[in-house]
Every structure is written in structure tokens, then in C-alpha cells.
Amino acid sequence: MPSTVVHLAIGGVVAAALLGEEFDRRAVAVVLAAAALPDLDTFTGLYLEGTHRALLHTFVLPAVAGVALAHDTRLRGVSRLRARWGERGTRVAWVALAALIFGGILPDLMTNGVNAFYPLYDRFLTFNGELLLSNQRGVVQTFVDLSTAPEQTTENTHYWTGVDPTRGAEPENVERIFPVVRSGFQLLVVALGAFTLGARFLEER
């Protein structure tokens, strides 16, 4: 599973690419916080079983935030966000929303899955596979699987973390693992995020 470090790295790339003239330490901090936000449900899983990768990994969260942002910044006569923070606040808010989706939720959806529409629909979904062009089989894709596999819900699914290794009470000698990177590709993503942010900060100087 992608660690919070990986989520932050992707959020950093989003910040460097989209903040434009609003790029500075405070704006980057807001965007990185949005990318890391979904991982806070690691702690809710201690009290509400099954809510890790559900409570804050749901697309309902950015959908509600996006509707609220669009209403305030595009439909209202006077935007509260713009009145308080100006165009800078509007730009940072939209970039933070992008980081929440692309840095916070999508990496987990593509690695082991998330409860994508919780609480409206309680089922963990995974979007992972491959797309091939074969001279014998034509176009081959494994992203969409219509098999009748048992549904994974908050009732029967637990994603281990260093905070909550197993469902229910853990033995005293339980091993707690806190992943940083779990593959060469994840290491590449972290390096790319660090390099991109570093280059932007140097450029701003």
C-alpha cells in the first residue's frame, strides 16, 4: 500500500504544477495536508472497525468539497473564500482539492482498494490491472473485472497499518510496520516529488 510519504510526494508534484504564482511554503503546506488527509482514517479504524480506507478515502468527500467550492467561487454573488483570502485562497483551495483526489485517494484505489462511495454504498473497490495490445488477442484489459467475487465491506474488511495491525485486540508482541516505500516505483514517485518541489522552491528564490 502507498505510505503517507508517497501521498505527500504526489501532492508535492500537484502543488508544483498547479499553484502557479501562489507557490510558497504556506500554500504547499495546505496542498500537502490535503493529500495526507485521507490517511487520518487510519486512526478512526481503532474506534470504528472497517472505516480505514472508507471514512476519508471516499469520493463523496471531494465531491462535497468540490460542489461547495464551485458554489462559493463561481455561483455566489460574493465569494466568502475570495473575500477572506482573495484569488490566492481560491487557487490554493482548488489545487488542494486536486491533491486530495490525485495524491490522497487515487493511489490507494489503485493499490488494494478503497471504499469509494462510502457511506452511500459500502463496498471496497480496486482499480488495478493492465492494458495490452496483442497481435493475437487484440486489446486486452484487466481493469474492469465483472467476476462474482465476494463483496468487501466495512463489516468484513480490514487494512493493516502500523497503528492498527489487526482487526480487534492485538497481542502484546504484535509487529507494527510503518511503510515508507514498498517498491522501486514508489521510491521513484517519492524522489520525483522531492525533486519537483525542491526545483520549484529554488526557482522561486
Side-chain angles (χ1 to χ4, degrees):
M1 67 183 70
S3 69
T4 303
V5 174
V6 175
H7 293 297
L8 289 172
I10 298 173
V13 172
V14 171
L18 300 181
L19 281 174
E21 295 181 356
E22 310 305 335
F23 185 91
D24 62 21
R25 289 181 181 179
R26 287 186 178 181
V28 169
V30 171
V31 174
L32 294 184
L37 175 67
D39 275 356
L40 290 179
D41 65 20
T42 297
F43 299 97
T44 68
L46 293 171
Y47 307 100
L48 300 170
E49 288 190 350
T51 57
H52 176 45
R53 289 218 183 184
L55 193 64
L56 297 177
H57 281 77
T58 172
F59 286 114
V60 174
L61 176 63
V64 170
V67 168
L69 261 177
H71 179 266
D72 181 70
T73 60
R74 300 180 185 275
L75 301 178
R76 288 179 55 127
V78 178
S79 166
R80 292 181 181 176
L81 181 65
R82 201 171 277 118
R84 177 73 184 270
W85 302 105
E87 290 300 327
R88 170 183 169 80
T90 302
R91 180 68 170 248
V92 172
W94 281 110
V95 175
L97 180 61
L100 171 64
I101 297 169
F102 290 99
I105 298 174
L106 287 179
D108 286 335
L109 174 67
M110 298 174 181
T111 311
N112 303 122
V114 301
N115 206 322
F117 304 105
Y118 183 84
L120 304 179
Y121 177 59
D122 185 6
R123 184 177 182 186
F124 287 90
L125 304 173
T126 303
F127 192 75
N128 190 17
E130 59 185 7
L131 177 63
L132 308 173
L133 297 177
S134 168
N135 68 334
Q136 296 182 5
R137 294 175 291 159
V139 177
V140 179
Q141 69 82 29
T142 60
F143 287 96
V144 179
D145 181 7
L146 300 178
S147 66
T148 57
E151 290 191 358
Q152 291 181 286
T153 68
T154 52
E155 293 294 322
N156 62 20
T157 304
H158 176 84
Y159 289 95
W160 68 267
T161 66
V163 174
D164 190 17
T166 61
R167 196 179 189 101
E170 285 95 23
E172 291 185 7
N173 64 342
V174 67
E175 182 181 13
R176 297 184 183 276
I177 299 173
F178 297 89
V180 179
V181 291
R182 295 179 61 86
S183 69
F185 184 75
Q186 288 187 12
L187 182 59
L188 171 62
V189 170
V190 171
L192 174 64
F195 173 79
T196 306
L197 275 183
R200 262 316 289 273
F201 278 120
L202 285 173
E203 188 178 60
E204 292 301 311
R205 286 184 179 180

